[in-house]
Amino acid sequence: TWSMIRIEEDLTDVYYRWLALDTGRPEMALYRPGSSRIGYNPAKWRILRGIFGSTLIGRNDVLLDYGCGKGRVIVWAAARFPLCRIIGVELDQRLHALANTNIRNWKGRQRCHDILLVHGDATEFDVPDDVTIVFLYNPFLGDVFNKVIFKVVQSLMRQPRPLRIFYIHPRMHETLIGAGFTVDRENVKPPYEWAIYRYANEGDGKV
């Protein structure tokens, strides 16, 4: 089974490289011991299909990808879903540049054309008040994560709205629960654990 999964991932990598998307190599050297920030490791295609395929995504959705790295999720989502727009935030200058190159060179179909890549610190990025999906591939932990979620909640307080967090390997689960999010659906089978969180009070319009 694991061999078949590996072959599937490798073949999918080949397909996307043929379409000029080069995001496959990890960059774990970016990680520093004791840091709350995690190095770049591209999300597996299988896990992306699982988490994004488990809920409806439409033309009114705005996707924010924290730690977007080389742009794998951004290009993949733009090709598959008619999102209103997509925002990627990346701290590392080189990865930010590579993401721009991948978007510029992409040869596949594109259902979302409004893409903004931000080079900057996620803790200092003010979440736009139209964001409806936040994507996290375990980009940071600890105090950095806490500050980022505080920014998300601030946006919800300014503009109450439905918002989902797509979180792969949700190591900061308790922080999200404490911030007022609830688990909407999840996959707990390793190594493809993920969860979708919703803001607890979104249904009655209060935040």
Side-chain angles (χ1 to χ4, degrees), residues 129 155-162 201-202 204-207:
D129 292 344
S155 174
L156 288 169
M157 293 178 68
R158 290 191 302 267
Q159 181 61 53
R161 63 193 185 279
N201 296 324
E202 69 177 30
D204 58 14
K206 300 175 183 178
V207 206

Side-chain angles (χ1 to χ4, degrees), residues 68-70 88 90-101 117-120:
C68 64
K70 301 177 184 179
E90 175 56 51
L91 179 63
D92 185 82
Q93 176 64 58
R94 192 173 69 86
L95 293 180
H96 171 74
L98 288 171
N100 273 300
T101 299
L117 295 183
V118 178
H119 172 233

Side-chain angles (χ1 to χ4, degrees), residues 62-127:
V62 175
L63 171 65
L64 170 57
D65 180 5
Y66 278 116
C68 64
K70 301 177 184 179
R72 170 175 289 199
V73 173
I74 289 173
V75 173
W76 183 86
R80 283 178 168 250
F81 304 104
L83 290 149
C84 177
R85 65 187 182 118
I86 302 174
I87 306 163
V89 179
E90 175 56 51
L91 179 63
D92 185 82
Q93 176 64 58
R94 192 173 69 86
L95 293 180
H96 171 74
L98 288 171
N100 273 300
T101 299
N102 277 318
I103 291 170
R104 184 170 59 251
N105 293 342
W106 173 244
K107 297 177 180 178
R109 71 171 181 173
Q110 193 166 339
R111 302 183 69 186
C112 174
H113 294 272
D114 190 348
I115 298 173
L116 172 65
L117 295 183
V118 178
H119 172 233
D121 191 324
T123 65
E124 299 173 1
F125 178 75
D126 290 326
V127 178

Side-chain angles (χ1 to χ4, degrees), residues 30-73:
L30 299 172
Y31 170 74
R32 297 292 181 270
S35 171
S36 296
R37 304 178 191 275
I38 309 299
Y40 170 74
N41 197 17
K44 301 297 184 185
W45 302 112
R46 175 180 284 252
I47 202 170
L48 288 180
R49 290 193 296 269
I51 193 169
F52 277 87
S54 67
T55 185
L56 293 177
I57 298 174
R59 297 184 181 277
N60 294 323
D61 282 311
V62 175
L63 171 65
L64 170 57
D65 180 5
Y66 278 116
C68 64
K70 301 177 184 179
R72 170 175 289 199
V73 173

